[in-house]
Amino acid sequence: MDNIEDYLAGTRQRVEEEIRALVPADGRHTGGLYQMMLDYPLRHGKSLRPAIALACCRALGGSEAAVMPTAAVLELYHNAFLIHDDVEDRSEKRRHEPTLNRKHGVPLAINVGDGMLAMVMRPLLDNMRTIGLGRALRVLDVVARMARETAEGQAMELGWIADGYMPRSLCEYTRLVHKKTSWYSFIAPLLAAATIAGLDRHGAQRVGRLGVPLGVAFQIQDDVLNLSATSDTYGKDGDGDLWEGKRTLILMHAIGSADPAERAHARAVVAKPAGNGEEQHARNAADVEFLRGLIARHDSIGYAQRVARRYARRFEAGLHALAGDWVDSPHKQFLFALAQYTVGRAA
Amino acid sequence: MDNIEDYLAGTRQRVEEEIRALVPADGRHTGGLYQMMLDYPLRHGKSLRPAIALACCRALGGSEAAVMPTAAVLELYHNAFLIHDDVEDRSEKRRHEPTLNRKHGVPLAINVGDGMLAMVMRPLLDNMRTIGLGRALRVLDVVARMARETAEGQAMELGWIADGYMPRSLCEYTRLVHKKTSWYSFIAPLLAAATIAGLDRHGAQRVGRLGVPLGVAFQIQDDVLNLSATSDTYGKDGDGDLWEGKRTLILMHAIGSADPAERAHARAVVAKPAGNGEEQHARNAADVEFLRGLIARHDSIGYAQRVARRYARRFEAGLHALAGDWVDSPHKQFLFALAQYTVGRAA
């Protein structure tokens, strides 16, 4: 796992430089907008998405210079999503610090996210000069699709929470994750990088599809960490998912395994409406305690981890089939290490 | 004023068709996202921005087909801004109906706005096929700049409110309006339309600059309507600006004209912090009543209307200087009628 951490750290540094170059340093008459834009990106996130884009492009023979602007765009998008997601979930902590909504209030946080979404157009248009018109347009298409898929996934989950609906099958769950997580975190970085490296449409899509199972493995592990890690190692609100009523595979399994009486109670708890944006949480401490107990009794975390490992292996097998003839390199090794990293990471 | 209303109504119909074609009708597995995206655009807004783009492009000899996708994009942006603005201001009414945040809650409303911002890339890229690569890229640049300027303006105003700062000069006020209103409502529609019609960069910029004074006239009239119109004709929350502590020219004038004791009290009232997003309003009914009285005693609405008319005349003079040799047409007439419409409109 050392190598992967080194690779991520190396990418992080270059992405931060790239983002600093994209965001104007002069904040005169802009209400501190650009300083706030840099807040999340400079909190030392994982830089996972840009690292995947960089590794994929270079493993396929593309250059670092060609992919870095797009990698930075993906990181900016990710951080803009996080800002809006933190507002939507009323989260208090992100990467060990107060969320932007906590620091500056909801209105400014929404606007900072909007501003970041406005910053991505320039580097994507400038791509035309470095990778040519055709590839640059295909990358723009990937990013546009990514933004739509993510909004659709977010709408699905928020709609389920608003309707008190809990998905019942792994298929329903993975359809949600495909949109809300896999697309922007894995499919888009792989697809854009393969495009930049020069693969044709069909070839790039085969690479992009590897992001589907990887996203499921990643999201499940994220939900596991939310429930098992302490706030210290995790950097977000502990048990936040249970308070929010997030539709996780862990909770689905616990409810599906419960006896009829407990199941009915659990369904009622997760169906509590989140309200119209004023009160803090729909569920109380007793509700969260009850769900925690249910999850423990049915070893739902263990179940979720087994499913995550299955999807990680699926990604690994797909990568083997596809990348067998790629020249060996640290970049290819990074991609192969992702399977283990995704389900083994502690943050 | 009849002609301008007809022109707006005609544009509205065509823009609605264009937007319906852009937004997928199939809502399966998208949590109702696309239906919610159509909510504001189908509430019969003024369609002022697309009408300006259409009129400007056609007055300059460009075709309706060439400009309509961009006009629809401007209307989508406008509505996405309105959705996020309503969340940021905690508004309850928009175009005589409950705001999206009121209907579906803050989280879904934020996400619908994000989804709309993701929809605009496709038609702007498709522009390449209809107006050619060079013009399409310039229009993309205009839209990217517009999104940034608007976020900057919004950050300025929210920052002033958060800091309890009230601008003191007309110059400070117009700098804010330039960014938060003029850019997306007037400069961008004129600049994009002139580009699509075939003007070179310099010529298009001269047309775009007409939007600067028009935006100031429009914003002042908007603030006048908020205070003088009833909720019935206006379609938004009555006196909403005073509750929100919005930095309007009217309020600036009232505070600037007050005697020292009243001025100190007024400054304290508008400096009340808006809080971290939980409580409804920082100001109470007595505060709003006090500000209302101050505005009435100093005829601040009359003052603001005079300033608005001055800026409208400035727009008119600029248009005369620029459009003297344009062929006469209903489109050119619409542009000339904008000066009167902007300061005379009742909604």
Side-chain angles (χ1 to χ4, degrees):
Chain A
M1 206 68 103
D2 276 359
N3 288 346
I4 207 162
E5 293 294 351
D6 289 348
Y7 198 96
L8 288 169
T11 309
R12 182 185 308 131
Q13 204 183 341
R14 278 164 290 172
V15 168
E16 283 184 9
E17 285 163 24
E18 196 81 25
I19 288 177
R20 279 183 196 277
L22 285 178
V23 175
D26 178 18
R28 255 167 42 93
H29 306 314
T30 55
L33 179 66
Y34 295 111
Q35 212 184 330
M36 287 187 269
M37 274 190 199
L38 288 176
D39 185 332
Y40 276 23
L42 299 186
R43 284 190 189 186
H44 295 309
K46 287 184 284 290
S47 289
L48 182 58
R49 291 142 196 92
I52 290 173
L54 176 64
C56 179
C57 181
R58 297 211 59 192
L60 283 163
S63 77
E64 180 177 318
V67 75
M68 280 315 286
T70 305
V73 161
L74 293 169
E75 187 65 7
L76 268 181
Y77 253 108
H78 169 53
N79 282 279
F81 291 151
L82 290 181
I83 291 170
H84 283 184
D85 201 52
D86 284 343
V87 175
E88 291 165 15
D89 298 341
R90 290 173 232 166
S91 303
E92 311 245 311
K93 266 178 87 182
R94 166 72 61 188
R95 294 176 190 156
H96 307 286
E97 288 179 50
T99 53
L100 216 62
N101 43 305
R102 195 72 210 154
K103 275 170 82 170
H104 305 291
V106 166
L108 275 169
I110 296 175
N111 187 58
V112 171
D114 288 351
M116 288 165 86
L117 295 179
M119 303 301 291
V120 302
M121 200 101 84
R122 190 65 267 160
L124 293 178
L125 292 174
D126 287 344
N127 266 346
M128 290 182 192
R129 270 180 273 157
T130 50
I131 59 174
L133 179 63
R135 290 184 199 176
L137 290 179
R138 280 167 57 202
V139 170
L140 273 160
D141 260 341
V142 170
V143 172
R145 168 98 189 262
M146 172 191 90
R148 279 184 50 182
E149 293 281 352
T150 310
E152 289 183 7
Q154 198 74 351
M156 269 178 85
E157 183 162 40
L158 292 169
W160 284 353
I161 291 174
D163 297 343
Y165 179 75
M166 191 78 195
R168 297 184 186 205
S169 69
L170 188 59
C171 164
E172 263 186 305
Y173 175 78
T174 56
R175 190 188 293 134
L176 170 71
V177 172
H178 183 111
K179 284 181 181 290
K180 79 160 185 168
T181 307
S182 299
W183 242 101
Y184 91 88
S185 297
F186 303 101
I187 301 171
L190 291 166
L191 186 52
T195 303
I196 293 166
L199 263 61
D200 66 14
R201 209 172 278 272
H202 179 71
Q205 274 167 359
R206 284 181 66 201
V207 174
R209 269 198 294 273
L210 293 172
V212 179
L214 191 57
V216 176
F218 182 88
Q219 183 61 60
I220 293 175
Q221 177 68 7
D222 217 52
D223 299 340
V224 167
L225 287 172
N226 186 282
L227 291 182
S228 51
T230 65
S231 177
D232 250 22
T233 57
Y234 188 52
K236 302 186 211 172
D237 312 318
D239 280 353
D241 288 355
L242 294 180
W243 289 97
E244 286 165 24
K246 196 166 156 189
R247 274 42 182 162
T248 63
L249 188 65
I250 301 165
L251 200 50
M252 282 171 60
H253 177 267
I255 295 175
S257 312
D259 63 44
E262 280 191 327
R263 188 181 307 175
H265 182 58
R267 282 203 199 285
V269 164
V270 298
K272 284 192 181 182
N276 237 353
E278 294 307 324
E279 62 272 26
Q280 181 63 22
H281 284 300
R283 275 149 291 276
N284 57 35
D287 292 337
V288 169
E289 205 41 58
F290 169 74
L291 294 176
R292 265 220 153 280
L294 209 59
I295 287 165
R297 280 199 300 287
H298 298 288
D299 186 28
S300 301
I301 290 181
Y303 160 80
Q305 285 175 314
R306 287 191 297 278
V307 175
R309 282 197 293 271
R310 202 164 77 218
Y311 277 89
R313 281 195 300 272
R314 201 177 289 180
F315 160 75
E316 211 168 15
L319 186 61
H320 264 294
L322 212 59
D325 57 346
W326 297 0
V327 184
D328 193 43
S329 71
H331 315 294
K332 181 175 163 180
Q333 285 167 23
F334 173 83
L335 293 178
F336 272 97
L338 278 173
Q340 191 46 44
Y341 168 78
T342 301
V343 293
R345 71 205 164 91
Chain B
M1 208 66 102
D2 277 0
N3 288 346
I4 206 161
E5 293 294 352
D6 289 348
Y7 199 96
L8 288 169
T11 309
R12 183 183 310 130
Q13 204 182 342
R14 278 164 291 171
V15 168
E16 284 183 8
E17 285 163 24
E18 196 81 26
I19 287 177
R20 279 182 196 277
L22 285 178
V23 175
D26 177 19
R28 254 167 43 93
H29 307 314
T30 56
L33 178 67
Y34 296 110
Q35 212 183 329
M36 287 187 270
M37 275 190 199
L38 288 176
D39 186 332
Y40 276 22
L42 299 185
R43 284 190 189 185
H44 295 309
K46 288 185 284 291
S47 290
L48 181 59
R49 291 141 195 93
I52 290 173
L54 176 64
C56 179
C57 180
R58 297 212 58 193
L60 283 163
S63 76
E64 180 177 320
V67 76
M68 280 315 286
T70 305
V73 162
L74 293 169
E75 186 66 9
L76 267 181
Y77 254 107
H78 170 53
N79 283 279
F81 291 151
L82 291 181
I83 291 171
H84 282 185
D85 203 52
D86 284 343
V87 175
E88 291 165 16
D89 299 340
R90 291 174 231 167
S91 303
E92 311 245 312
K93 266 178 87 181
R94 168 70 62 188
R95 294 177 190 154
H96 306 285
E97 286 179 50
T99 53
L100 216 60
N101 42 306
R102 196 73 211 152
K103 276 169 82 170
H104 305 291
V106 166
L108 275 168
I110 297 175
N111 188 57
V112 171
D114 288 350
M116 288 165 87
L117 295 179
M119 303 300 293
V120 302
M121 199 102 83
R122 189 66 268 157
L124 293 177
L125 292 174
D126 287 344
N127 267 346
M128 291 182 192
R129 270 180 273 157
T130 49
I131 59 175
L133 179 63
R135 291 183 198 175
L137 289 179
R138 279 167 57 203
V139 170
L140 272 161
D141 260 340
V142 170
V143 172
R145 168 98 190 261
M146 171 191 91
R148 277 183 52 180
E149 293 281 351
T150 310
E152 289 183 8
Q154 197 74 352
M156 269 177 86
E157 183 161 40
L158 292 169
W160 284 352
I161 292 175
D163 298 342
Y165 179 76
M166 191 79 195
R168 298 184 184 204
S169 70
L170 188 58
C171 164
E172 264 187 305
Y173 174 77
T174 56
R175 190 188 292 135
L176 170 71
V177 172
H178 183 111
K179 284 179 182 289
K180 79 160 187 170
T181 307
S182 300
W183 242 101
Y184 92 88
S185 296
F186 302 100
I187 301 172
L190 291 166
L191 187 51
T195 304
I196 293 166
L199 265 60
D200 66 14
R201 208 172 279 271
H202 179 71
Q205 274 166 0
R206 284 180 65 201
V207 175
R209 270 197 293 272
L210 293 172
V212 179
L214 191 58
V216 176
F218 182 88
Q219 183 61 60
I220 294 175
Q221 178 67 7
D222 216 54
D223 298 340
V224 166
L225 288 172
N226 185 281
L227 290 181
S228 51
T230 65
S231 175
D232 249 21
T233 56
Y234 188 52
K236 302 185 212 174
D237 312 320
D239 279 353
D241 288 356
L242 294 180
W243 290 97
E244 286 165 24
K246 197 166 157 188
R247 273 46 182 159
T248 65
L249 188 66
I250 301 165
L251 200 49
M252 281 170 61
H253 178 266
I255 294 175
S257 312
D259 63 44
E262 279 190 328
R263 188 182 307 175
H265 182 56
R267 281 201 199 287
V269 164
V270 298
K272 284 193 180 180
N276 236 352
E278 294 307 325
E279 61 273 27
Q280 181 63 20
H281 284 302
R283 276 150 290 277
N284 58 37
D287 292 336
V288 169
E289 204 40 59
F290 169 74
L291 295 177
R292 264 219 155 281
L294 208 60
I295 288 166
R297 281 200 298 287
H298 298 288
D299 187 27
S300 302
I301 290 181
Y303 161 79
Q305 284 174 317
R306 288 190 295 279
V307 176
R309 281 196 293 270
R310 201 164 77 219
Y311 277 89
R313 282 195 299 273
R314 200 176 292 181
F315 160 75
E316 211 168 16
L319 185 61
H320 265 294
L322 211 60
D325 56 347
W326 298 0
V327 184
D328 192 44
S329 69
H331 315 294
K332 181 175 163 179
Q333 285 166 22
F334 173 83
L335 293 177
F336 272 96
L338 278 173
Q340 192 46 47
Y341 168 78
T342 300
V343 293
R345 70 204 166 90

